[in-house]
Amino acid sequence: MGKKRKHSELTVTESKKKDEIASERPKRTLMGWKDKVGEKETDSPVFRNKEKVLVTCSRRIIYRYRHLMLNVVSLLPHCKKDNKVESKESKGAALNELVELKNCSSCLFFECRKQKDLYLWMAKCPNGPSVKFLVNAVHTMEELKLTGNHLKGSRPILTFSSNFDRDPHWKLLKELILQIFGTPKEHRKSKPYHDNVFVFSIVDDHIWFRNYQINVPHNETDKVDRGGLDKMTLVEVGPRFCLNPIKMFGGSFGGPTLYENPFYISPNQIRALEKRKKAGKYAKKVKAKTRRKMHELSNPLEPDEFADLWKE
């Protein structure tokens, strides 16, 4: 039989356990407010960006668009890739649940329709806003074979053309792109310096994306001084794509419509017009053939008197 502990020993151990228990953790929010280490709760907290992006695609996506998605994943060290999602009407609820399970705050969803058209959803989850784009002029890193080569995981510099500040919907798009494509400072998978640039420019109401490497000479003769930008050059890395905004919603993957593009024409309508043009050409050919036959029947040729001359 073991000896019983004295009452004084029990009280000492209980007091030690109470002291050893950690203080209550600060409340975690979406963007990650975190108290300073070693300071009281009354002091001002330090903001720590915990932005994480979930990148996924729909089923039956073709290989070119899947390669584009993988290129985007390689450019964003703060993203998380997930399995394919069925692109149905209820995809918004499924994606919001996935984002919550993966502990992310944003989502990039590549949706392929009819194995021809690629749509890109950018959404802030779970409260919105969200934007639906039609992706055109897709060129992946593998097919471009450009000479640029920046380090994987480095934090990109985001640059925007001046016409992003022209209209309110472009301002909202700029802020959404900044939060999704901007790598958080001191992220554990990112490198603590910049060696590439993401360029977003608006031309013909389309957003064109380019990725460039910052090339700096490191020879002793051409060594660049701090702040000297004259000898720096930009070399394109890839990928390339063009985003045509369709609709902006107040919620995540739905909700009230904030903006609708009046110049947007769906690819199905364009294909239907092309088929009608081809069908019109064929109908013209058939009408011309029937007119020719009717003309031949109404105007028969006279018998040739020399037709049987050379027959044996």
Side-chain angles (χ1 to χ4, degrees):
M1 294 290 291
K3 292 182 179 180
K4 290 184 178 180
R5 288 186 179 181
K6 294 180 181 178
H7 181 68
S8 59
E9 291 180 2
L10 288 171
T11 53
V12 170
T13 53
E14 283 178 3
S15 61
K16 282 184 179 179
K17 284 181 180 178
K18 285 181 181 177
D19 294 336
E20 287 174 1
I21 294 172
S23 59
E24 189 179 352
R25 294 179 65 183
K27 189 178 179 182
R28 188 173 69 180
T29 59
L30 183 66
M31 299 300 290
W33 288 95
K34 189 176 180 182
D35 292 336
K36 287 184 180 179
V37 180
E39 292 190 8
K40 298 179 182 178
E41 293 180 358
T42 55
D43 296 334
S44 60
V46 175
F47 178 74
R48 185 181 172 191
N49 189 358
K50 290 188 178 180
E51 182 78 27
K52 294 176 188 174
V53 184
L54 179 72
V55 181
T56 183
C57 64
S58 63
R59 294 193 180 277
R60 293 172 293 277
I61 191 170
I62 62 174
Y63 71 97
R64 286 189 76 233
Y65 299 153
R66 189 177 70 251
H67 289 175
L68 176 68
M69 184 193 72
L70 294 175
N71 292 157
V72 173
V73 168
S74 66
L75 292 176
L76 303 178
H78 63 292
C79 76
K80 291 184 179 181
K81 184 177 171 294
D82 200 69
N83 298 328
K84 296 177 182 177
V85 179
E86 192 68 45
S87 59
K88 293 181 179 178
E89 291 181 358
S90 61
K91 66 176 179 291
L95 285 167
N96 284 329
E97 190 175 350
L98 268 176
V99 169
E100 188 178 356
L101 286 171
K102 291 285 183 179
N103 196 21
C104 298
S105 57
S106 306
C107 183
L108 288 176
F109 179 58
F110 291 83
E111 184 180 6
C112 187
R113 294 284 183 89
K114 296 186 177 181
Q115 295 189 341
K116 294 178 182 177
D117 310 321
L118 179 65
Y119 297 92
L120 174 62
W121 284 86
M122 287 186 192
K124 295 291 292 181
C125 301
N127 299 322
S130 56
V131 190
K132 186 179 182 181
F133 297 97
L134 174 68
V135 186
N136 295 318
V138 174
H139 299 284
T140 60
M141 288 182 183
E142 289 79 10
E143 62 179 298
L144 285 173
K145 296 181 180 177
L146 296 167
T147 56
N149 183 23
H150 62 80
L151 194 66
K152 185 176 180 180
S154 59
R155 295 179 64 218
I157 300 171
L158 272 65
T159 61
F160 297 87
S161 58
S162 59
N163 45 8
F164 266 98
D165 299 325
R166 186 179 57 193
D167 296 321
H169 65 277
W170 291 124
K171 290 180 182 178
L172 181 59
L173 274 175
K174 179 180 177 180
E175 184 61 33
L176 191 65
I177 292 169
L178 270 171
Q179 293 190 20
I180 292 177
F181 284 87
T183 304
K185 188 180 179 182
E186 297 178 359
H187 191 272
R188 61 188 182 86
K189 289 187 179 179
S190 67
K191 307 297 185 295
Y193 51 83
H194 306 276
D195 69 340
N196 65 314
V197 183
F198 289 171
V199 179
F200 297 91
S201 53
I202 299 173
V203 181
D204 298 331
D205 291 328
H206 290 59
I207 299 175
W208 296 81
F209 172 82
R210 294 291 184 269
N211 179 26
Y212 296 97
Q213 174 201 356
I214 302 173
N215 193 11
V216 183
H218 290 287
N219 300 329
E220 290 297 328
T221 55
D222 298 333
K223 196 168 182 181
V224 178
D225 298 330
R226 187 177 181 84
L229 303 176
D230 299 334
K231 296 180 181 179
M232 290 185 184
T233 55
L234 295 178
V235 185
E236 190 174 355
V237 182
R240 295 176 178 176
F241 54 88
C242 172
L243 301 175
N244 184 11
I246 303 170
K247 271 188 179 183
M248 298 177 68
F249 301 97
S252 177
F253 298 100
T257 304
L258 302 178
Y259 169 76
E260 187 172 358
N261 189 358
F263 306 107
Y264 171 71
I265 302 172
S266 69
N268 293 329
Q269 290 179 341
I270 294 170
R271 284 192 287 267
L273 289 171
E274 288 176 355
K275 282 184 180 179
R276 283 176 194 169
K277 284 182 181 179
K278 290 179 181 178
K281 286 182 182 178
Y282 179 73
K284 285 178 182 178
K285 285 181 182 179
V286 171
K287 286 179 182 178
K289 282 183 181 180
T290 53
R291 281 201 303 270
R292 181 65 185 170
K293 285 182 181 179
M294 295 296 292
H295 178 74
E296 287 177 357
L297 290 172
S298 59
N299 301 302
L301 294 173
E302 295 180 358
D304 189 5
E305 55 182 308
F306 300 106
D308 300 329
L309 182 63
W310 306 104
K311 286 185 178 180
E312 295 181 356

